[in-house]
Every structure is written in structure tokens, then in C-alpha cells.
Amino acid sequence: TQLLEQSPQFLSIQEGENLTVYCNSSSVFSSLQWYRQEPGEGPVLLVTVVTGGEVKKLKRLTFQFGDARKDSSLHITAAQPGDTGLYLCAGRPGNQGGKLIFGQGTELSVKP
Amino acid sequence: DAMVIQNPRYQVTQFGKPVTLSCSQTLNHNVMYWYQQKSSQAPKLLFHYYDKDFNNEADTPDNFQSRRPNTSFCFLDIRSPGLGDAAMYLCATSRDRSGARYEQYFGPGTRLTVT
């Protein structure tokens, strides 16, 4: 069974700080997606990374896919209270159709 | 805007009373998924439809059923809800199943309460 270990599980920081969330696996994924979910809402897709070593930027968010496509990271620069939410990484195995393997999620709280 | 819509957003049902949750999509995607999500946990896949082909997850209880009458609509039926079925139910779609770039897009969810 493929697993995605996401860390940290909880993160509480002050506005303006930087943070990094990690997703790690011993298995290779054909792609990896990052979602952000606010309370009472569905996950919203932030980015998809496909190529090993790929780096994508979305304003203050930087996403990286590991060279071997087994891990990924999300770095937020100068966090703002609006960044608060549950961040989920989800990997697509190469041989399970459309299924996503989800990490456990990171609850981020950014205090003003 | 193309989107995934779930109704109702909040549903209260009684223990053992059948309930149906609905999902519609204007994306014209081939695949529709149903997930169960409990507080601050990752979504758990219950089943998915690839066009009309139904695919159940091995650990999805028989209490959960689904129907997809056409491309746009998909329903989740819970035949006899128990207290442990209280959760957020998420519908998602993707254009296809194969191919790394076929992302899943989620609806806003239905919060189910069982009394």
C-alpha cells in the first residue's frame, strides 16, 4: 500500500513567518497535487507537479516535486492570516487509475 | 463558471433513516468520486464512476450506495445512517482516470449530522 507521510500535522505561526510542509513516500508517484481546504468547504486545488525536480510558484507559495518523484514540499513565504487552513498533498500512483493517495494533512494557523 | 455543486450543504438525518446526497457538475468530466471526510482528516474514497462504470472501494460499507443517472449527476445513498456516518461528504470530478495531469476538482461538500 502506498502511503504519503505529511508533516507537520499542526503548525501555528505568527503573520510574516515562513513555513514549509513536507510530503514523503517510499513510492513513486506520477504526479502530486496540493490542496487547501477551509473549514466547512471542499479542498481547492492549488497546483499539480508532474516532473521530477519541478518547482512551481503561486504568489507566496512555492511547490517542489522531488527528483525521484517520491516527495514534495510546500513553502509559504511571509504567511498571512488568509493562509490559514488544512493543506493536503495527494499523489497519483502510476497504476491505480484516477485514485489519489492523500497525506494526513497539515492544519496551519496564522495569527495576526 | 464550470463547477462541482453539492446539495444540500448541510443535512440532518435520524439514526437509521435513509438519506441521499447529490452532486452535479458542469465540467463534463467522465469521472465522479465520493469521499467521506471526518474532522481534520484526509478525505477517504468511498467509490467512483468512470462514465457508467461503478468502482467500489474494498472497505466501503454496504450501507453506502451510489447512482449516476447521467454524466452531470451523481448521488450518494446511505441506507441506514449510524452515528459513525456523521461526516463531511465530498464529491469530486476529473476529466479522465489515466494520465498524470487529470486533476480532481472538489465540490464544497455536504455536512451530514446523524441524530
Side-chain angles (χ1 to χ4, degrees):
Chain A
T1 303
Q2 289 181 276
L3 295 173
L4 260 177
E5 298 289 336
Q6 188 172 343
S7 63
Q9 194 173 352
F10 299 96
L11 195 52
S12 181
I13 61 172
Q14 293 295 127
E15 183 176 1
E17 292 183 14
N18 301 333
L19 66 114
T20 303
V21 179
Y22 299 93
C23 270
N24 295 292
S25 176
S26 58
S27 305
V28 175
F29 292 97
S30 60
S31 66
L32 195 135
Q33 296 162 15
W34 284 92
Y35 292 87
R36 177 170 163 265
Q37 186 176 19
E38 295 189 25
E41 299 294 330
V44 175
L45 180 66
L46 296 174
V47 78
T48 297
V49 284
V50 178
T51 306
E54 184 175 4
V55 176
K56 282 192 173 179
K57 293 195 174 187
L58 187 65
K59 296 184 181 177
R60 294 174 294 99
L61 278 60
T62 301
F63 304 86
Q64 186 161 7
F65 203 13
D67 290 342
R69 291 185 288 131
K70 293 182 180 181
D71 56 87
S72 182
S73 64
L74 157 61
H75 182 79
I76 302 180
T77 303
Q80 298 177 1
D83 295 328
T84 293
L86 177 68
Y87 288 82
L88 293 160
C89 63
R92 288 200 60 185
N95 61 352
Q96 293 186 34
K99 286 188 187 180
L100 290 177
I101 306 297
F102 279 90
Q104 302 97 316
T106 296
E107 284 266 22
L108 172 64
S109 174
V110 182
K111 296 181 175 12
Chain B
D1 286 341
M3 57 198 317
V4 182
I5 302 160
Q6 290 189 245
N7 286 306
R9 293 294 313 276
Y10 302 92
Q11 177 74 58
V12 180
T13 191
Q14 291 178 334
F15 183 94
K17 185 175 181 181
V19 66
T20 295
L21 310 181
S22 74
C23 176
S24 63
Q25 53 126 344
T26 60
L27 297 159
N28 203 32
H29 282 175
N30 286 325
V31 194
M32 295 186 78
Y33 309 81
W34 278 105
Y35 288 87
Q36 179 192 66
Q37 187 181 30
K38 298 199 173 177
S39 183
S40 297
Q41 295 180 18
K44 178 180 181 299
L45 182 65
L46 297 173
F47 25 59
H48 75 275
Y49 272 95
Y50 180 65
D51 196 12
K52 297 178 182 178
D53 181 29
F54 177 70
N55 297 269
N56 199 28
E57 292 300 297
D59 57 354
T60 297
D62 293 340
N63 198 25
F64 292 88
Q65 304 285 321
S66 185
R67 296 169 283 135
R68 188 180 186 186
N70 54 53
T71 300
S72 301
F73 285 86
C74 196
F75 299 98
L76 170 62
D77 301 308
I78 308 177
R79 292 192 297 188
S80 181
L83 298 179
D85 296 327
M88 174 76 92
Y89 289 88
L90 296 164
C91 174
T93 73
S94 66
R95 191 187 310 167
D96 209 322
R97 282 192 308 195
S98 58
R101 292 197 178 276
Y102 291 131
E103 299 102 338
Q104 291 188 23
Y105 295 90
F106 285 83
T110 295
R111 169 71 64 188
L112 179 68
T113 301
V114 182
T115 61

